[in-house]
């Protein structure tokens, strides 16, 4: 007898965990809308049925560039259940960038905001897209108008674990952005691991404050909540005082480091305001020690830092549980991104690809069920990204200490090679940041006729503080070998950051690339 294998469609996996009480609230928004579990199911069925009516090709891509809304989440769920491949894009992208994504992804459907319809539909039609729909953040637009004419039940299409679910374009601003192909199996396995690792419960309430065009807000946050049968409080955009106010009665928050910094600047942040909260998670960019400690002092909570990327979803995490052998102490370590998650193999290698012992800095390589299938239509880039024994080269540099905690030192392309010596910007930055009056800093490499490259330090003072540059330099010189000392220092009011709070070092490198030109 032939047994039909279980459906590996991620939507089917998520829906199986929706609570029995379908009329309970799944999502409450900051515009006071309440979505029941039943609503998420019905609305996504209608959109999937609309697309099915168009008989889109196998693995059709659905490109979405819209403001954050629950309906945008519904569109994602519709793609999953209908077997289409979602391509979510940052709303900041302009026409030239959109033309590239349209040509590269060759989507069958484009969903954009009404305000962008004019120029974007022209671009889309030129690149051969047949269906361009609008979706605004106030539940208007042609997507919902059309979908409303379709049935609100749909059986999720049969998918294998290996079938594509989404393409995430990497934020890499040097060279062409690459589309990371993630399968239903990649996303499902990671969601299930995180649900267990972070102790997700059905009575958890997640404050969802992140954008949903990125792995953090779209996959990590949403899958965990849906798979846990937990409800979400949905912020259309992050605003620090509103986020704090919304934590009353909530239990979990996920943010990039900048969100924590901004909340710390609010007087309303105190133990009482957040007394129902159990877990604060940070990732996507390094969390400064100063932020980690300030959060602990003000709230009594230890932020849990984790590490991952578009190509792999989540790879490592500090533990959720406490250390019972040591009187319930937190096991979350400042400056680390925790342990490899269950199922993830992680190794640190030198330039020749040889494995390094604990404590030594090298390139981080990983293997596991959440590692992506490759870059969309870039077989060469895919091949370059994997070793011959199928480990993915993350491009991050770091170490694993003798207790197993992983530390990220920086991106390999941010590494500075000065006079033949490796300089890890994170090490220099942490010495600079420790100096009184410094809020944060960035060290980038600039080409140099003698040394090949030297460091340029950008230093941001704390609000109202004066930083004495020569005293700062003397401090760093007393702490680090001479080849690590930046050769040029500048004070800056702030650092350029992208939407996920990452410092845009490529822009800084560009700015200083002719500084030492002979
Ligand atoms: P993205 O694909 O946009 O999510 O970017 C992934 C990159 O962000 C990783 O390769 C790391 O360089 C960086 N990243 C993510 N989480 C952390 C973290 N907790 N600490 C330091 N860097 C991180």
């Amino acid at each position: 007898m032939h047994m039909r294998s279980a459906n590996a469609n991620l939507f089917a996996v998520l829906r199986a965990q929706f609570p029995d009480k379908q009329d309970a609230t799944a999502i409450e928004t900051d515009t006071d809308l309440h979505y029941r579990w039943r609503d998420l199911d019905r609305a996504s069925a209608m959109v999937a049925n609309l697309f099915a009516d168009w008989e889109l090709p196998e693995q059709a891509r659905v490109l979405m560039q819209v403001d954050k809304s629950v309906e945008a989440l519904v569109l994602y769920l519709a793609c999953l259940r209908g077997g289409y491949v979602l391509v979510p894009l940052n709303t900041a992208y302009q026409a030239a960038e959109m033309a590239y994504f349209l040509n590269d992804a060759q989507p069958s459907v484009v969903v954009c905001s009404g305000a962008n319809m004019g120029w974007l539909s022209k671009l889309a039609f030129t690149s051969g897209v047949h269906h361009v729909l609008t979706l605004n953040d106030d539940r208007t637009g042609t997507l919902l108008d059309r979908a409303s004419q379709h049935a609100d039940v749909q059986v999720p299409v049969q998918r294998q674990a290996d079938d594509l679910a989404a393409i995430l374009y990497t934020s890499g601003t040097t060279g062409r952005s690459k589309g990371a192909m993630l399968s239903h199996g990649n996303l499902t396995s990671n969601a299930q691991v995180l649900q267990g690792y972070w102790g997700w419960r059905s009575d958890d309430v997640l404050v969802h404050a992140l954008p949903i065009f990125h792995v953090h807000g779209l996959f990590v946050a949403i899958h965990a909540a849906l798979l846990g049968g937990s409800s979400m409080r949905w912020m259309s955009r992050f605003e620090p005082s509103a986020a704090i106010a919304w934590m009353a009665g909530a239990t979990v928050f996920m943010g990039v480091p900048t969100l924590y910094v901004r909340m710390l600047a609010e007087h309303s942040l105190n133990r009482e305001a957040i007394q129902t909260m159990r877990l604060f998670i940070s990732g996507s960019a390094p969390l400064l020690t100063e932020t980690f400690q300030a959060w602990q002092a003000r709230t009594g909570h230890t932020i849990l830092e984790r590490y991952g990327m578009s190509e792999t979803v989540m790879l490592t995490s500090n533990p959720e549980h406490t250390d019972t052998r040591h009187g319930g102490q937190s096991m979350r370590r400042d400056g680390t991104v925790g342990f490899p998650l269950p199922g993830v193999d992680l190794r640190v290698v030198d330039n020749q690809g040889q494995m390094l012992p604990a404590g030594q800095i090298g390139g981080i390589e990983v293997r596991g069920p959440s590692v992506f299938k490759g870059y969309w239509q870039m077989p060469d880039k895919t091949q370059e990204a994997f070793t011959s024994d199928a480990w993915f080269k993350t491009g991050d540099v770091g170490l694993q200490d003798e207790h197993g905690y992983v530390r990220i030192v920086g991106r390999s392309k941010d590494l500075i090679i000065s006079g033949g010596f490796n300089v890890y910007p994170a090490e220099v930055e942490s010495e600079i940041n420790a100096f009184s009056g410094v809020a944060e800093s960035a060290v980038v490499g600039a080409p140099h006729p003698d040394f090949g490259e030297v460091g340029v330090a950008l230093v941001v003072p704390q609000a109202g503080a004066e930083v004495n540059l020569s005293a700062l330099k003397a401090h760093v010189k007393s702490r680090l070998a001479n080849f690590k000392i930046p050769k040029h220092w500048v004070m800056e009011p702030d650092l350029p950051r992208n939407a996920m709070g990452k410092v845009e070092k490529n822009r800084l490198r560009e700015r200083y690339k002719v500084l030492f030109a002979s």
Side-chain angles (χ1 to χ4, degrees):
M1 205 174 76
H2 189 73
M3 292 273 291
R4 193 157 170 261
S5 62
N7 191 357
N9 188 315
L10 171 58
F11 181 79
V13 178
L14 295 173
R15 195 178 58 180
Q17 302 306 317
F18 282 14
D20 296 336
K21 289 198 200 104
Q22 290 275 306
D23 283 325
T25 298
I27 303 179
E28 181 185 347
T29 71
D30 51 4
T31 48
D32 207 24
L33 297 172
H34 290 248
Y35 294 80
R36 302 166 301 172
W37 292 92
R38 187 189 304 287
D39 298 326
L40 297 183
D41 189 19
R42 291 178 51 211
S44 59
M46 290 158 102
V47 175
N49 286 331
L50 165 69
F51 292 166
D53 210 37
W54 290 339
E55 299 182 359
L56 306 177
E58 260 301 290
Q59 306 242 312
R61 271 82 56 212
V62 175
L63 188 147
M64 150 175 122
Q65 192 198 29
V66 295
D67 287 325
K68 183 176 174 183
S69 69
V70 176
E71 287 67 30
L73 162 60
V74 163
L75 172 59
Y76 168 49
L77 298 177
C79 289
L80 287 178
R81 67 191 295 169
Y84 311 107
V85 180
L86 183 79
V87 185
L89 290 177
N90 192 329
T91 42
Y93 288 134
Q94 303 295 314
E97 292 156 312
M98 291 305 289
Y100 168 75
F101 293 120
L102 287 163
N103 275 318
D104 194 62
Q106 291 287 309
S108 300
V109 181
V110 168
V111 181
C112 64
S113 67
N116 292 344
M117 179 67 176
W119 63 269
L120 194 51
S121 61
K122 273 196 210 109
L123 281 180
F125 292 133
T126 344
S127 38
V129 180
H130 292 297
H131 306 282
V132 181
L133 298 163
T134 58
L135 174 62
N136 303 310
D137 62 1
D138 59 357
R139 293 183 295 159
T140 59
T142 53
L143 174 74
L144 300 180
D145 289 348
R146 299 279 195 91
S148 68
Q149 290 150 28
H150 289 266
D152 63 1
V153 286
Q154 184 261 6
V155 179
V157 302
Q158 193 73 21
R159 276 293 171 264
Q160 307 288 332
D162 219 27
D163 286 328
L164 266 195
I167 296 177
L168 284 198
Y169 278 93
T170 56
S171 47
T173 20
T174 47
R176 296 196 300 153
S177 183
K178 296 173 289 212
M181 299 190 284
L182 293 157
S183 67
H184 283 261
N186 291 149
L187 299 177
T188 303
S189 61
N190 205 241
Q192 287 168 338
V193 163
L194 291 178
Q195 195 207 359
Y197 205 77
W198 291 342
W200 217 268
R201 306 185 305 231
S202 61
D203 60 352
D204 269 327
V205 179
L206 169 76
V207 175
H208 192 298
L210 291 161
I212 58 166
F213 50 73
H214 183 265
V215 54
H216 198 167
L218 182 61
F219 298 149
V220 184
I222 287 172
H223 294 165
L226 295 184
L227 200 56
S230 330
S231 64
M232 286 188 257
R233 291 185 175 177
W234 189 263
M235 304 189 77
S236 38
R237 56 188 57 81
F238 174 77
E239 201 284 308
S241 61
I244 296 163
W246 254 32
M247 285 179 194
T251 62
V252 184
F253 181 81
M254 288 187 200
V256 296
T258 1
L259 304 196
Y260 288 98
V261 173
R262 292 183 58 196
M263 287 190 284
L264 278 164
E266 294 292 322
H267 293 298
S268 61
L269 180 71
N270 56 42
R271 287 173 194 242
E272 194 162 45
I274 59 160
Q275 57 182 312
T276 55
M277 294 293 291
R278 73 169 181 92
L279 186 58
F280 291 93
I281 300 174
S282 174
S284 294
L287 181 71
L288 297 180
T289 295
E290 192 197 349
T291 314
F292 179 91
Q293 288 173 350
W295 194 267
Q296 228 168 16
R298 181 91 74 86
T299 70
H301 281 275
T302 306
I303 297 176
L304 176 157
E305 189 170 4
R306 96 292 176 286
Y307 156 67
M309 56 202 307
S310 306
E311 288 91 335
T312 61
V313 209
M314 294 302 102
L315 292 168
T316 74
S317 172
N318 273 283
E320 186 262 339
H321 57 271
T322 51
D323 187 350
T324 44
R325 290 164 311 166
H326 295 96
Q329 263 178 18
S330 173
M331 289 179 64
R332 300 172 202 161
R333 297 281 176 275
D334 170 24
T336 84
V337 291
F339 304 109
L341 287 165
V344 173
D345 294 326
L346 182 144
R347 68 186 188 190
V348 179
V349 300
D350 66 14
N351 292 342
Q352 278 72 47
Q354 293 303 310
M355 239 177 105
L356 290 168
Q360 291 202 20
I361 295 178
I364 294 178
E365 297 182 350
V366 294
R367 213 167 52 171
S370 67
V371 175
F372 75 140
K373 289 162 61 84
Y375 294 111
W376 172 252
Q377 288 182 335
M378 289 188 180
D380 296 347
K381 296 272 178 217
T382 302
Q383 209 190 343
E384 270 170 38
F386 286 88
T387 65
S388 55
D389 54 347
W391 289 69
F392 173 59
K393 305 180 213 167
T394 62
D396 288 310
V397 178
L399 61 84
Q400 190 167 22
D401 72 16
E402 69 275 25
H403 304 293
Y405 286 92
V406 176
R407 279 175 194 272
I408 306 296
V409 177
R411 296 288 299 161
S412 57
K413 61 175 195 298
D414 294 337
L415 183 84
I416 303 165
I417 305 181
S418 198
F421 295 112
N422 284 357
V423 181
Y424 300 104
E427 187 189 15
V428 188
E429 288 158 6
S430 76
E431 292 299 345
I432 298 175
N433 297 348
F435 192 75
S436 119
V438 174
E440 59 173 346
S441 60
V443 173
V444 294
H448 189 279
D450 292 337
F451 298 106
E453 250 184 328
V454 296
V456 173
L458 291 95
V459 182
V460 180
Q462 280 165 0
E466 284 275 330
V467 176
N468 179 332
L469 254 187
S470 30
L472 169 60
K473 280 188 225 173
H475 159 79
V476 177
K477 275 189 180 155
S478 72
R479 306 270 309 166
L480 297 175
N482 201 39
F483 70 88
K484 296 181 186 172
I485 310 299
K487 298 285 179 288
H488 184 76
W489 297 70
V490 260
M491 300 298 292
E492 290 282 341
D494 50 28
L495 299 172
R497 286 200 146 81
N498 73 8
M500 297 311 294
K502 288 190 226 294
V503 176
E504 296 178 300
K505 289 205 162 170
N506 51 320
R507 282 180 56 190
L508 296 176
R509 273 193 291 269
E510 198 53 35
R511 199 188 292 172
Y512 292 102
K513 80 177 179 206
V514 293
L515 187 66
F516 300 102
S518 48

